[in-house]
Amino acid sequence: MSIYVDNAATTKMSPAAMQAMLPYFDQIYGNPSSLHSEGQRAAEALAGARARIAARLGCQPREITFTSGGSEADTQALLSAAHLGARKGKWHIISTAFEHHAVLHTLEALERQGFSVTLLDVHENGLVTPEQVKAALRPDTCLVSVMYANNEIGTVQPIGEIGRVCREAGVLFHTDAVQAVGHLPIHVGELQVDLLSLSAHKVHGPKGVGALYARKGIPLESVIYGGAQERDRRAGTENLPAILGMAAALEESCAHMEERARTLTLLRERLIDGLSQIPHAVLNGDRARRLPGNVSFCFEGIEGESLLLLLDDRGIRASSGSACTSGSLDPSHVLLALGRPHEIAHGSLRLTLSHENTQEDVDAVIRAVTEVVAYLRSISPVWRDLTSGKTEFILKEAV
Ligand SMILES: *Cc1c(COP(=O)(O)O)cnc(C)c1O
């Protein structure tokens, strides 16, 4: 038995999305840039997928650029907007401390180019406010980038209100909507965003494909040098099967959004209630203003990676939500941004549900996490010191 609860990392492809891709491997396989009829059939399919995706976002097809995924869309959005600002003498960017690394690392690259970056603090509930954005605006601010839904703790930011603040100030606004797409309503006009990134593999589509919405009139610079594909905005032969798969996945998840959100929210609440019974544990992020399928906890006296591995032994595929890159066990920058102390941030567990999960899955996860946490604590010297009173608990009581 295996229970997959790591849907924020990636999702299983939907059969409809897989079916939608197949003809574009061996039937409509032309290069959309070719002038012959095989190429033109491919170009028509590309235009069709672009129109369908644009319809889901409430924008014009010309405002959609296909990319290799969310990371490339984020990179391209930030570099384009920043360089546009620099040409007008504006070198200041506002973002948040809990963005995805695709945003944070692009901002670091921009700092090396001379930009100054203000990273807003995140409130303990995992939210940033329009007031914070407003207060950070400067006359030389050219860009604000705030993610729609956080990939670790699932909190949903007030993007429409932040968009209004930016528009009133005449500052470009980008949102990384990779985790929000398919789960939350997205209409670029209502959200007042100028740039929006999405990725297919987080919504049951294929990996390695995404899209960037850029409002008409905003020039995008290609981050890849080569041909004139995507109206000179993104070089490289279009990944037609993946793009058609993305269009199908997006349509399917949007068509079922409300019904899936309702069932996912019920499962999420059951999971949160169950895990809240574990002593010295805390839910990360606002309980209500979070993605329907996201549950993120910290357990005191626990090492997240051990918890993950023991859960994996029991068939449960979860995530610690921490960036443990190449052996270094740095705690998650997202949990630190919430103000969690290092010891607490180390004991994190992220469980992200999909519509395929059942109540039985949730109950099995609650049982397994409860038992594994108790076991790890029983063999932990840190826990012995806490319970003997030698050191003090940080999480005083069960939440
Ligand atoms: C997964 C993810 C990305 C990166 O998308 P890829 O398609 O994997 O490059 C960017 N932002 C967020 C919030 C994500 O969850």
Side-chain angles (χ1 to χ4, degrees), residues 131-286:
E131 291 74 28
Q132 281 178 282
V133 174
K134 197 166 184 170
L137 285 170
R138 303 196 323 211
D140 62 339
T141 307
C142 60
L143 169 66
V144 173
S145 179
V146 177
M147 72 199 314
Y148 196 162
N150 184 271
N151 47 303
E152 284 188 32
I153 56 172
T155 50
V156 177
Q157 309 307 313
I159 291 304
E161 292 169 56
I162 295 172
R164 193 171 48 207
V165 167
C166 294
R167 202 146 285 179
E168 280 167 5
V171 173
L172 289 182
F173 179 39
H174 166 255
T175 189
D176 175 338
V178 171
Q179 291 289 337
V181 166
H183 296 290
L184 303 171
I186 293 185
H187 185 287
V188 291
E190 281 164 20
L191 293 177
Q192 308 200 50
V193 295
D194 301 299
L195 298 147
L196 177 144
S197 312
L198 62 92
S199 175
H201 76 99
K202 307 285 174 74
V203 282
H204 306 280
K207 293 165 184 60
V209 66
L212 173 59
Y213 156 79
R215 190 167 53 78
K216 188 166 151 272
I218 299 174
L220 289 184
E221 61 182 53
S222 181
V223 294
I224 294 175
Y225 298 108
Q229 287 91 354
E230 297 295 280
R231 297 180 28 252
D232 246 347
R233 294 161 153 221
R234 204 280 183 175
T237 304
E238 300 84 350
N239 187 348
L240 204 54
I243 289 167
L244 270 293
M246 173 162 66
L250 197 60
E251 280 179 345
E252 192 185 24
S253 54
C254 289
H256 297 284
M257 183 156 52
E258 282 171 30
E259 132 218 346
R260 284 181 185 173
R262 263 196 307 276
T263 34
L264 279 179
T265 303
L266 290 176
L267 292 178
R268 178 193 77 194
E269 292 300 294
R270 189 179 178 91
L271 188 49
I272 292 176
D273 284 339
L275 296 181
S276 298
Q277 301 300 313
I278 298 175
H280 304 283
V282 66
L283 176 72
N284 297 312
D286 192 85

